[in-house]
Amino acid sequence: SPPLAFPTGRLVGSDAGITYGSEPYLRRLPSGRFRMGALVEVSQYPEGVFETALAGTIFYSDEPVVTWIAANWASVGREDPQRPGCYPVDAARGSLFDAGAFYRYDEAMGDSRIRAIIDSWLKEYPAFLPLTGFGGGGAIFNPNSDGCYPTFYGLSADGNVALALTDFTYAFKPTG
């Protein structure tokens, strides 16, 4: 995707369809324009091609990642020690948003016309849908399953966040 705006330096991971109670992660991140991406599995079935998001990413820099840490929630007591940085999904769609854009997206989803437009976009881009127009950037990922998806930060040698990654498969085992 083209770089998307993340002006607040705060990241929200949330169910893209049921957004109540979502809040930013604790760590402040760089603000600016950053690329987003998805690791997508493409499967061929008799009915057609089916795409599933396996991971969603935000690239904050091109520096190599030397260690990983779990994203932590801003509110005390929200953490699940077995799944740090995890956000629950009950509508089979995860999202990563700039905090300011997320709250405007959340408000817009109350409008059935906006919800219908986003649902139609997801039919065209079933695994990964970058979004703009909410005062900042974000993306919806379609892992086609519910769960609690952990988010991690990849740190470069200087300790800065180079990458944010949400794992929709529970396969990612950060080391370092």
Side-chain angles (χ1 to χ4, degrees):
S1 78
L4 300 175
F6 286 82
T8 68
R10 300 298 302 271
L11 182 64
V12 175
S14 175
D15 188 311
I18 305 168
T19 55
Y20 55 84
S22 297
E23 59 187 82
Y25 290 109
L26 181 62
R27 186 180 187 117
R28 282 273 193 208
L29 299 167
S31 57
R33 299 183 68 78
F34 305 104
R35 292 178 295 119
M36 294 189 77
L39 176 61
V40 176
E41 176 182 65
V42 179
S43 303
Q44 181 69 48
Y45 294 99
E47 307 83 43
V49 175
F50 191 71
E51 295 183 358
T52 302
L54 305 178
T57 58
I58 302 172
F59 300 94
Y60 289 99
S61 80
D62 292 328
E63 293 295 316
V65 170
V66 298
T67 192
W68 293 92
I69 61 170
N72 293 312
W73 295 102
S75 66
V76 176
R78 181 164 177 167
E79 282 302 314
D80 176 343
Q82 299 301 313
R83 298 179 289 185
C86 169
Y87 63 86
V89 170
D90 194 31
R93 294 179 184 154
S95 70
L96 289 171
F97 273 97
D98 173 78
F102 175 78
Y103 295 116
R104 286 188 279 286
Y105 164 82
D106 187 39
E107 281 180 26
M109 290 303 284
D111 182 327
S112 61
R113 295 167 298 171
I114 299 295
R115 185 176 286 274
I117 290 169
I118 289 177
D119 285 344
S120 72
W121 284 342
L122 284 167
K123 289 177 185 166
E124 288 183 52
Y125 307 98
F128 172 56
L129 173 63
L131 293 173
T132 60
F134 295 101
I140 297 173
F141 304 93
N142 191 354
N144 295 307
S145 65
D146 295 335
C148 195
Y149 300 123
T151 298
F152 301 95
Y153 298 128
L155 305 181
S156 59
D158 60 9
N160 291 321
V161 175
L163 177 79
L165 179 141
T166 295
D167 175 16
F168 299 118
T169 65
Y170 307 104
F172 182 69
K173 305 291 185 231
T175 59

Coordinates of all heavy atoms in Angstrom, one line a residue, residues 72-141:
N72 N 1.8 -3.6 24.8 CA 1.1 -3.7 26.0 C 0.0 -2.6 26.0 O 0.1 -1.6 25.4 CB 2.0 -3.4 27.2 CG 2.9 -4.5 27.4 OD1 2.5 -5.7 27.4 ND2 4.2 -4.2 27.6
W73 N -1.2 -2.9 26.6 CA -2.3 -2.0 26.6 C -2.1 -0.9 27.6 O -1.3 -1.0 28.6 CB -3.6 -2.8 27.0 CG -4.0 -3.8 26.1 CD1 -3.8 -5.1 26.2 CD2 -4.5 -3.6 24.8 NE1 -4.2 -5.8 25.0 CE2 -4.7 -4.8 24.2 CE3 -5.0 -2.4 24.1 CZ2 -5.3 -5.0 22.9 CZ3 -5.6 -2.6 22.9 CH2 -5.7 -3.8 22.3
A74 N -2.7 0.2 27.3 CA -2.6 1.4 28.2 C -3.3 1.2 29.5 O -2.9 1.8 30.5 CB -3.2 2.6 27.5
S75 N -4.3 0.4 29.6 CA -5.0 0.2 30.8 C -4.5 -1.0 31.6 O -4.2 -2.0 31.0 CB -6.5 0.0 30.6 OG -6.8 -1.2 29.9
V76 N -4.4 -0.8 32.9 CA -3.9 -1.8 33.8 C -4.9 -2.9 33.9 O -6.1 -2.6 33.9 CB -3.6 -1.2 35.1 CG1 -3.1 -2.3 36.1 CG2 -2.5 -0.2 35.0
G77 N -4.5 -4.2 33.9 CA -5.4 -5.3 34.1 C -6.0 -5.8 32.8 O -6.7 -6.8 32.8
R78 N -5.7 -5.2 31.7 CA -6.3 -5.7 30.4 C -5.5 -6.9 29.9 O -6.0 -7.7 29.1 CB -6.4 -4.6 29.4 CG -7.0 -5.1 28.1 CD -7.5 -3.9 27.3 NE -8.0 -4.5 26.0 CZ -8.6 -3.8 25.1 NH1 -8.9 -2.6 25.4 NH2 -9.1 -4.4 24.0
E79 N -4.2 -6.9 30.2 CA -3.3 -7.9 29.7 C -3.7 -9.4 30.0 O -4.1 -9.6 31.2 CB -1.9 -7.7 30.2 CG -1.2 -6.6 29.5 CD -1.0 -6.8 28.0 OE1 -0.7 -7.9 27.5 OE2 -1.3 -5.8 27.3
D80 N -3.6 -10.3 29.1 CA -3.7 -11.7 29.3 C -2.3 -12.2 29.3 O -1.6 -12.1 28.3 CB -4.5 -12.3 28.2 CG -4.6 -13.8 28.3 OD1 -3.8 -14.5 29.0 OD2 -5.4 -14.4 27.6
P81 N -1.8 -12.7 30.5 CA -0.4 -13.1 30.5 C 0.0 -14.2 29.5 O 1.2 -14.3 29.1 CB -0.2 -13.5 32.0 CG -1.5 -13.6 32.6 CD -2.5 -12.9 31.7
Q82 N -0.9 -15.0 29.1 CA -0.7 -16.0 28.2 C -0.6 -15.5 26.7 O 0.0 -16.1 25.8 CB -1.7 -17.1 28.2 CG -1.8 -17.8 29.6 CD -0.5 -18.4 30.0 OE1 0.1 -19.1 29.2 NE2 0.0 -18.1 31.2
R83 N -1.2 -14.3 26.5 CA -1.3 -13.7 25.2 C -1.1 -12.2 25.3 O -2.0 -11.5 25.1 CB -2.6 -14.1 24.5 CG -2.8 -15.6 24.3 CD -4.1 -15.9 23.7 NE -5.2 -15.6 24.6 CZ -6.5 -15.9 24.3 NH1 -6.8 -16.4 23.2 NH2 -7.4 -15.6 25.2
P84 N 0.1 -11.8 25.5 CA 0.4 -10.3 25.7 C 0.1 -9.6 24.4 O 0.3 -10.1 23.3 CB 1.8 -10.2 26.1 CG 2.4 -11.5 25.6 CD 1.4 -12.5 25.7
G85 N -0.4 -8.3 24.5 CA -0.7 -7.5 23.4 C -1.8 -8.0 22.5 O -2.0 -7.5 21.4
C86 N -2.6 -8.9 23.1 CA -3.6 -9.5 22.3 C -4.9 -8.7 22.3 O -5.3 -8.1 23.3 CB -3.9 -10.9 23.0 SG -5.3 -11.8 22.4
Y87 N -5.6 -8.6 21.1 CA -6.9 -8.0 21.1 C -7.9 -9.0 20.6 O -7.7 -9.7 19.6 CB -6.9 -6.7 20.3 CG -6.6 -6.8 18.8 CD1 -7.6 -7.1 17.9 CD2 -5.3 -6.5 18.3 CE1 -7.3 -7.1 16.5 CE2 -5.0 -6.6 17.0 CZ -6.0 -6.9 16.1 OH -5.7 -6.9 14.7
P88 N -9.1 -9.0 21.2 CA -10.1 -10.0 20.8 C -10.8 -9.6 19.5 O -11.1 -8.4 19.3 CB -11.1 -10.0 22.0 CG -10.9 -8.6 22.6 CD -9.5 -8.2 22.4
V89 N -11.2 -10.6 18.7 CA -11.9 -10.4 17.5 C -13.1 -11.4 17.5 O -12.9 -12.6 17.7 CB -11.0 -10.7 16.3 CG1 -11.8 -10.7 15.0 CG2 -9.9 -9.6 16.2
D90 N -14.2 -10.9 17.2 CA -15.4 -11.7 17.2 C -16.2 -11.5 15.9 O -17.3 -12.0 15.7 CB -16.3 -11.4 18.4 CG -17.4 -12.4 18.6 OD1 -17.2 -13.6 18.3 OD2 -18.5 -12.0 19.1
A91 N -15.6 -10.7 15.0 CA -16.3 -10.5 13.7 C -15.4 -10.9 12.5 O -15.6 -10.6 11.4 CB -16.6 -9.0 13.5
A92 N -14.4 -11.7 12.8 CA -13.4 -12.3 11.9 C -12.6 -11.3 11.1 O -12.1 -11.6 10.0 CB -14.2 -13.3 10.9
R93 N -12.5 -10.1 11.6 CA -11.7 -9.0 11.0 C -10.9 -8.3 12.0 O -11.5 -7.7 12.9 CB -12.6 -8.1 10.2 CG -13.4 -8.7 9.1 CD -14.2 -7.6 8.4 NE -15.0 -8.3 7.4 CZ -16.2 -7.8 6.9 NH1 -16.7 -6.8 7.5 NH2 -16.8 -8.4 6.0
G94 N -9.6 -8.2 11.8 CA -8.8 -7.4 12.7 C -8.4 -6.1 12.1 O -8.6 -5.9 10.9
S95 N -7.9 -5.2 12.9 CA -7.5 -3.9 12.3 C -6.3 -3.3 13.1 O -6.2 -3.6 14.3 CB -8.6 -2.9 12.3 OG -9.0 -2.5 13.6
L96 N -5.5 -2.5 12.4 CA -4.5 -1.7 13.1 C -4.8 -0.3 12.6 O -4.9 -0.1 11.3 CB -3.1 -2.1 12.7 CG -2.6 -3.4 13.3 CD1 -1.3 -3.9 12.6 CD2 -2.5 -3.3 14.8
F97 N -4.9 0.7 13.5 CA -5.2 2.1 13.1 C -4.4 3.0 13.9 O -4.0 2.8 15.1 CB -6.7 2.4 13.4 CG -7.7 2.1 12.4 CD1 -8.4 0.9 12.4 CD2 -7.9 3.0 11.3 CE1 -9.3 0.6 11.4 CE2 -8.8 2.7 10.4 CZ -9.5 1.5 10.4
D98 N -4.1 4.2 13.3 CA -3.7 5.4 14.1 C -4.9 5.6 15.1 O -6.1 5.5 14.7 CB -3.5 6.6 13.2 CG -3.2 7.8 14.0 OD1 -2.1 8.0 14.5 OD2 -4.2 8.6 14.2
A99 N -4.5 6.0 16.3 CA -5.6 6.2 17.4 C -6.7 7.2 17.0 O -7.9 6.9 17.1 CB -5.0 6.5 18.7
G100 N -6.3 8.3 16.4 CA -7.2 9.3 16.0 C -8.1 8.9 14.9 O -9.3 9.1 14.9
A101 N -7.5 8.2 13.9 CA -8.3 7.7 12.8 C -9.3 6.6 13.3 O -10.4 6.4 12.8 CB -7.4 7.1 11.7
F102 N -8.8 5.7 14.2 CA -9.6 4.7 14.7 C -10.9 5.2 15.3 O -12.0 4.6 15.1 CB -8.9 3.8 15.8 CG -9.8 2.8 16.4 CD1 -10.1 1.6 15.7 CD2 -10.4 2.9 17.6 CE1 -10.9 0.6 16.2 CE2 -11.2 2.0 18.1 CZ -11.5 0.8 17.4
Y103 N -10.9 6.2 16.2 CA -12.1 6.7 16.8 C -13.0 7.3 15.8 O -14.2 7.2 15.9 CB -11.7 7.7 18.0 CG -11.0 6.9 19.1 CD1 -9.7 7.2 19.4 CD2 -11.6 5.9 19.7 CE1 -9.0 6.5 20.4 CE2 -10.9 5.1 20.7 CZ -9.7 5.5 21.0 OH -9.0 4.7 22.0
R104 N -12.5 7.9 14.7 CA -13.4 8.5 13.7 C -14.0 7.3 12.8 O -15.1 7.4 12.4 CB -12.6 9.5 12.8 CG -12.4 10.8 13.5 CD -11.8 11.9 12.7 NE -10.4 11.8 12.5 CZ -9.5 12.1 13.4 NH1 -9.9 12.5 14.6 NH2 -8.2 12.0 13.2
Y105 N -13.2 6.3 12.6 CA -13.7 5.1 11.9 C -14.8 4.4 12.7 O -15.8 4.1 12.2 CB -12.5 4.1 11.7 CG -13.0 2.7 11.4 CD1 -13.3 2.3 10.1 CD2 -13.0 1.7 12.4 CE1 -13.7 1.0 9.8 CE2 -13.4 0.4 12.1 CZ -13.7 0.1 10.8 OH -14.1 -1.2 10.5
D106 N -14.6 4.3 14.1 CA -15.6 3.7 15.0 C -16.9 4.5 14.9 O -18.0 3.9 14.8 CB -15.0 3.7 16.4 CG -15.9 3.0 17.3 OD1 -16.4 1.9 16.9 OD2 -16.0 3.4 18.5
E107 N -16.8 5.8 14.9 CA -18.0 6.7 14.8 C -18.7 6.4 13.4 O -19.9 6.3 13.3 CB -17.7 8.2 14.9 CG -17.4 8.6 16.3 CD -17.1 10.1 16.3 OE1 -17.5 10.9 15.4 OE2 -16.4 10.5 17.3
A108 N -17.9 6.4 12.4 CA -18.4 6.2 11.0 C -19.1 4.9 10.9 O -20.1 4.7 10.1 CB -17.3 6.4 10.0
M109 N -18.6 3.8 11.6 CA -19.2 2.5 11.4 C -20.6 2.5 12.0 O -21.4 1.6 11.7 CB -18.4 1.5 12.1 CG -17.1 1.2 11.4 SD -17.3 0.7 9.7 CE -17.8 -1.0 9.9
G110 N -21.0 3.5 12.8 CA -22.4 3.6 13.2 C -23.4 4.0 12.1 O -24.6 3.9 12.3
D111 N -22.8 4.5 11.0 CA -23.6 4.9 9.9 C -23.7 3.7 8.9 O -22.7 3.2 8.4 CB -22.9 6.1 9.2 CG -23.7 6.6 8.0 OD1 -24.4 5.8 7.3 OD2 -23.6 7.8 7.7
S112 N -24.9 3.2 8.7 CA -25.1 2.0 7.9 C -24.6 2.2 6.5 O -24.1 1.2 5.9 CB -26.6 1.6 7.9 OG -27.3 2.6 7.3
R113 N -24.6 3.4 6.0 CA -24.0 3.6 4.6 C -22.5 3.4 4.6 O -22.0 2.8 3.6 CB -24.4 5.0 4.1 CG -25.9 5.3 4.0 CD -26.2 6.7 3.8 NE -25.8 7.4 5.0 CZ -25.7 8.7 5.1 NH1 -26.1 9.5 4.1 NH2 -25.3 9.3 6.3
I114 N -21.8 3.9 5.6 CA -20.4 3.7 5.6 C -20.0 2.3 5.8 O -19.2 1.7 5.2 CB -19.8 4.6 6.8 CG1 -20.0 6.1 6.6 CG2 -18.3 4.3 7.0 CD1 -19.3 6.7 5.4
R115 N -20.8 1.6 6.7 CA -20.6 0.2 7.0 C -20.8 -0.6 5.6 O -20.0 -1.5 5.3 CB -21.5 -0.3 8.0 CG -21.2 -1.8 8.4 CD -22.1 -2.3 9.5 NE -21.7 -1.7 10.8 CZ -20.7 -2.3 11.6 NH1 -20.1 -3.4 11.2 NH2 -20.4 -1.8 12.7
A116 N -21.8 -0.3 4.9 CA -22.0 -0.9 3.6 C -20.9 -0.7 2.6 O -20.5 -1.6 1.9 CB -23.3 -0.5 3.0
I117 N -20.3 0.5 2.6 CA -19.2 0.8 1.7 C -18.0 -0.1 2.1 O -17.3 -0.7 1.2 CB -18.8 2.3 1.7 CG1 -19.9 3.1 1.0 CG2 -17.5 2.5 1.1 CD1 -19.8 4.6 1.2
I118 N -17.7 -0.1 3.4 CA -16.5 -0.9 3.8 C -16.8 -2.4 3.6 O -15.9 -3.1 3.1 CB -16.2 -0.6 5.3 CG1 -15.6 0.8 5.4 CG2 -15.3 -1.6 5.9 CD1 -15.3 1.4 6.7
D119 N -18.0 -2.9 3.8 CA -18.2 -4.3 3.5 C -18.1 -4.6 2.0 O -17.6 -5.6 1.7 CB -19.7 -4.6 4.0 CG -19.8 -4.8 5.5 OD1 -18.7 -4.9 6.2 OD2 -20.9 -4.8 6.0
S120 N -18.5 -3.6 1.2 CA -18.3 -3.9 -0.3 C -16.8 -3.8 -0.7 O -16.4 -4.6 -1.5 CB -19.1 -2.9 -1.1 OG -18.5 -1.6 -1.1
W121 N -16.0 -3.0 0.0 CA -14.6 -2.9 -0.3 C -13.9 -4.3 0.1 O -13.1 -4.8 -0.5 CB -13.9 -1.8 0.5 CG -14.1 -0.5 -0.1 CD1 -14.5 -0.1 -1.3 CD2 -13.9 0.8 0.6 NE1 -14.6 1.2 -1.5 CE2 -14.2 1.8 -0.3 CE3 -13.5 1.1 1.9 CZ2 -14.1 3.1 0.1 CZ3 -13.4 2.4 2.3 CH2 -13.7 3.4 1.4
L122 N -14.4 -4.8 1.3 CA -13.8 -6.1 1.7 C -14.1 -7.2 0.8 O -13.4 -8.2 0.8 CB -14.3 -6.4 3.1 CG -13.6 -5.5 4.2 CD1 -14.4 -5.7 5.5 CD2 -12.2 -5.9 4.4
K123 N -15.2 -7.1 0.0 CA -15.4 -8.1 -1.0 C -14.4 -8.1 -2.1 O -14.0 -9.1 -2.7 CB -16.8 -8.0 -1.6 CG -17.9 -8.4 -0.6 CD -19.2 -8.2 -1.1 CE -20.3 -8.5 0.0 NZ -21.6 -8.0 -0.3
E124 N -13.9 -6.8 -2.4 CA -12.8 -6.7 -3.4 C -11.5 -7.0 -2.9 O -10.6 -7.5 -3.6 CB -12.8 -5.2 -4.0 CG -14.0 -4.9 -4.9 CD -13.9 -3.5 -5.4 OE1 -12.8 -3.2 -5.9 OE2 -14.8 -2.7 -5.2
Y125 N -11.2 -6.6 -1.6 CA -9.9 -6.8 -1.0 C -10.1 -7.7 0.2 O -10.0 -7.2 1.4 CB -9.3 -5.5 -0.6 CG -9.2 -4.5 -1.7 CD1 -10.2 -3.5 -1.9 CD2 -8.2 -4.5 -2.6 CE1 -10.2 -2.6 -2.9 CE2 -8.1 -3.6 -3.6 CZ -9.1 -2.6 -3.8 OH -9.0 -1.7 -4.8
P126 N -10.4 -9.0 0.1 CA -10.8 -9.7 1.2 C -9.8 -9.9 2.3 O -10.1 -10.0 3.5 CB -11.2 -11.1 0.6 CG -10.5 -11.1 -0.7 CD -10.3 -9.7 -1.1
A127 N -8.5 -9.9 2.1 CA -7.5 -10.1 3.1 C -6.9 -8.9 3.7 O -6.5 -8.9 4.9 CB -6.4 -11.0 2.6
F128 N -6.8 -7.8 2.9 CA -6.1 -6.6 3.4 C -6.8 -5.4 2.7 O -6.8 -5.3 1.5 CB -4.7 -6.7 3.0 CG -3.8 -5.5 3.2 CD1 -3.7 -4.9 4.5 CD2 -3.1 -5.0 2.2 CE1 -3.0 -3.8 4.7 CE2 -2.3 -3.8 2.4 CZ -2.2 -3.2 3.7
L129 N -7.3 -4.4 3.6 CA -7.9 -3.2 3.1 C -7.3 -2.0 3.7 O -7.7 -1.7 4.9 CB -9.4 -3.3 3.3 CG -10.2 -2.0 3.0 CD1 -10.1 -1.7 1.5 CD2 -11.6 -2.2 3.4
P130 N -6.4 -1.3 3.1 CA -5.9 -0.1 3.7 C -6.9 1.0 3.6 O -7.7 1.1 2.6 CB -4.7 0.3 2.8 CG -4.5 -0.8 1.8 CD -5.7 -1.6 1.8
L131 N -7.0 1.8 4.7 CA -8.1 2.9 4.7 C -7.5 4.2 5.0 O -6.5 4.4 5.8 CB -9.1 2.6 5.8 CG -9.9 1.4 5.7 CD1 -10.7 1.1 6.9 CD2 -10.9 1.5 4.5
T132 N -8.0 5.2 4.3 CA -7.7 6.6 4.6 C -9.0 7.4 4.8 O -10.0 6.8 4.7 CB -6.8 7.2 3.4 OG1 -7.6 7.2 2.3 CG2 -5.5 6.5 3.2
G133 N -8.9 8.7 5.0 CA -10.1 9.5 5.1 C -10.7 9.6 6.4 O -11.8 10.1 6.6
F134 N -10.0 9.1 7.4 CA -10.5 9.2 8.8 C -9.5 10.1 9.6 O -9.5 10.0 10.8 CB -10.6 7.8 9.4 CG -11.7 7.0 8.8 CD1 -11.3 6.0 7.9 CD2 -13.0 7.2 9.0 CE1 -12.3 5.2 7.3 CE2 -14.0 6.4 8.4 CZ -13.6 5.4 7.5
G135 N -8.8 10.9 9.0 CA -7.8 11.8 9.7 C -6.5 11.1 10.0 O -5.7 11.6 10.8
G136 N -6.3 9.9 9.4 CA -5.1 9.1 9.7 C -5.3 7.8 9.0 O -6.4 7.5 8.4
G137 N -4.3 7.0 9.1 CA -4.4 5.7 8.3 C -4.7 4.5 9.2 O -4.7 4.6 10.4
G138 N -5.0 3.4 8.5 CA -5.2 2.2 9.2 C -5.5 1.1 8.1 O -5.5 1.4 6.9
A139 N -5.8 -0.1 8.6 CA -6.1 -1.2 7.6 C -7.0 -2.2 8.3 O -6.8 -2.4 9.6 CB -4.9 -1.8 7.1
I140 N -7.8 -2.8 7.6 CA -8.6 -4.0 8.0 C -8.0 -5.2 7.4 O -7.6 -5.3 6.2 CB -10.1 -3.8 7.6 CG1 -10.7 -2.6 8.3 CG2 -10.8 -5.1 8.0 CD1 -12.1 -2.3 7.8
F141 N -7.8 -6.2 8.3 CA -7.3 -7.5 7.8 C -8.3 -8.6 8.0 O -9.1 -8.5 9.0 CB -6.0 -7.9 8.6 CG -5.0 -6.8 8.6 CD1 -4.9 -5.9 9.6 CD2 -4.0 -6.8 7.6 CE1 -3.9 -4.9 9.5 CE2 -3.0 -5.8 7.5 CZ -3.0 -4.9 8.5

